[in-house]
Amino acid sequence: MKSVLPKALQPLARKPLLQWVLETATDLAPASIHIVYGHGGAAVPEALPSQPNVNWVEQAEQLGTAHAVQQALPGIPDDHTVLVLYGDVPLIRATTLQQLLDAAANGLSVLTAEVQVAFGYGRVIRNRDNSIEKIVEHKDANEAELAIREINTGFMACSAKQLRDWIDKIENKNVQGEFYLTDCIAMAVADGITVTGIVCDDFEETHGINDRIQLAHAETLMRQRITKELMQAGVSIIDPERIDVRGELQCGKDVVIDVNVIFEGKVKLGNGVKIGPFTVIVDSEIDNGSEIKSHCHIENAVIGKQCQVGPFARIRPETYLDDEARIGNFVETKKSHVGKGSKINHLAYVGDAEVGKEANIGAGTVTCNYDGVNKHKTVIGDNAFIGSNTALVAPVRIGKGATVGAGSVISKDAADGELVITRAKQVAVTDWKRPKKG
């Protein structure tokens, strides 16, 4: 990957590759999960959240796939079924793996795939009864075997006792000098154990990642998978090729998502929500009937029902918009609660503020919340009217129904219902001549 970050931690749709595999394994409700990581890879277990049934096993020497599995076997009872997964194959589905587990009840099961271009893959050789006889590596295959298009994906399942017995007998007499897990297949056949090949319906599920080109391809596949599921659930996506879901997106009914929208983390959209183009939404909730217009950035925010946001609005963390609030173009909010029906329609910054119901904040208004050391709060009461180009120097309170004249700098509280204005006297200079360039 040419990166300081271990491959298992490279991000796919915002989550590490290994986390996708771990979540899929968890969906199968296993008795335990054993993750084998290489020497010097301590950053991997440190980066992923700890779970009670996950056992981290260090493979001090990288001696092959069979050797890696062997490191985990001491912690697995003989009567358990072992399912072998790969940390760099994040697209595999739990439903596919369940088929593999079900087939393992008859012996050993292997996940295979039918491909058009099989170069580099081990070929699956089947018996007349359709069970697997052996797997021949590409470099060892003859002309007839090279013509076979069924390949081995590497996923397998069998009893822990049998796997332990076979792995203990594997030798590393090969060009790489490694212990190959696929050698178990020939041993199983020799022992009279049925080896069942389960053909994966979608070869892309077995897509492994070894470089950034393959990582980008996996990102495309994941996007296509997620958007298909959303559309099947009733979400209208204007162009499925121009949307990114990097996390978890939950949608109500009749949601419409325009082009080039990015969702990150956990996002929840209520019924009838409309998301305009070129918008980024991170870890936020947007309630029923609200519309986010184009080119907005929303992060760690909660937006109520029937709200309008944007275009070109930035909603920063800990912003809460009550129902029917309006945030217009080039408005930025941060750590603020905006009451029901209140409007901040143009070119304003509202930070560390509490805004009541039906308030109107004019263009160019700024809450001056930072004194260079500490943040201070601004409180604007219900039905207050803040004129354009106003600076509210926090801490300050504007009472209910109060009016602040345009162009004011307010540093003292305004009582309920009063008009406050701080404006220098306008001066006119007659016969004024503008300086001219020499």
Side-chain angles (χ1 to χ4, degrees), residues 33 74 78 98 198 282 291 307 324 385 412:
I33 298 174
D78 281 350
Q98 187 60 58
I198 300 297
V282 183
E291 180 178 4
C307 292
E324 301 172 30
F385 183 95
K412 295 181 181 179

Coordinates of all heavy atoms in Angstrom, one line a residue, residues 33 74 78 98 198 282 291 307 324 385 412:
I33 N -14.0 -15.1 17.9 CA -13.3 -14.6 16.7 C -11.9 -14.5 17.0 O -11.5 -13.8 18.0 CB -13.9 -13.2 16.2 CG1 -15.4 -13.4 15.9 CG2 -13.1 -12.7 15.0 CD1 -16.1 -12.0 15.5
P74 N -5.0 -23.2 19.1 CA -5.0 -23.6 20.5 C -6.2 -23.1 21.3 O -6.6 -23.7 22.3 CB -3.7 -23.1 21.0 CG -2.8 -23.0 19.8 CD -3.7 -22.6 18.6
D78 N -12.1 -28.7 19.9 CA -12.2 -29.6 18.8 C -13.5 -29.7 18.1 O -13.7 -29.9 16.9 CB -11.8 -31.0 19.3 CG -10.2 -31.2 19.4 OD1 -9.5 -30.2 18.9 OD2 -9.8 -32.2 20.0
Q98 N -22.5 -18.1 5.4 CA -23.4 -19.1 6.0 C -23.6 -20.3 5.2 O -23.6 -21.4 5.7 CB -24.7 -18.4 6.3 CG -25.7 -19.3 7.1 CD -25.1 -19.6 8.5 OE1 -24.8 -18.7 9.3 NE2 -25.0 -20.9 8.8
I198 N -18.6 -24.5 -2.7 CA -19.7 -23.6 -2.8 C -19.3 -22.4 -3.8 O -18.4 -21.7 -3.5 CB -20.1 -23.0 -1.4 CG1 -20.4 -24.1 -0.5 CG2 -21.2 -22.0 -1.5 CD1 -21.6 -24.9 -0.8
V282 N -22.3 14.6 8.0 CA -21.4 13.7 8.8 C -22.1 13.5 10.2 O -22.5 14.5 10.9 CB -20.0 14.3 9.1 CG1 -19.2 13.4 9.9 CG2 -19.4 14.6 7.7
E291 N -35.3 20.1 4.1 CA -34.6 20.2 2.8 C -33.2 20.8 3.0 O -33.1 21.9 3.6 CB -35.4 21.0 1.8 CG -34.7 21.1 0.4 CD -35.4 21.9 -0.6 OE1 -36.5 22.4 -0.3 OE2 -35.0 21.9 -1.8
C307 N -37.4 21.9 8.2 CA -36.4 23.0 8.2 C -35.8 23.1 6.7 O -35.9 22.3 5.9 CB -35.2 22.6 9.1 SG -35.6 22.6 10.8
E324 N -39.0 23.8 11.5 CA -39.3 25.0 10.7 C -38.2 26.1 10.8 O -38.4 27.2 10.3 CB -40.6 25.5 11.0 CG -41.8 24.5 10.8 CD -43.1 25.0 11.3 OE1 -43.3 26.2 11.3 OE2 -43.9 24.2 11.8
F385 N -35.5 40.6 16.8 CA -35.2 40.9 15.5 C -33.8 41.5 15.5 O -33.6 42.6 16.2 CB -36.2 41.9 14.9 CG -35.9 42.3 13.4 CD1 -36.5 41.6 12.4 CD2 -35.0 43.3 13.1 CE1 -36.3 42.0 11.1 CE2 -34.7 43.6 11.8 CZ -35.4 43.0 10.8
K412 N -24.0 45.0 25.7 CA -24.8 45.0 27.0 C -26.2 44.4 26.7 O -26.7 44.4 25.5 CB -25.0 46.4 27.5 CG -23.7 47.1 27.9 CD -24.0 48.5 28.4 CE -22.6 49.1 28.9 NZ -22.9 50.5 29.4

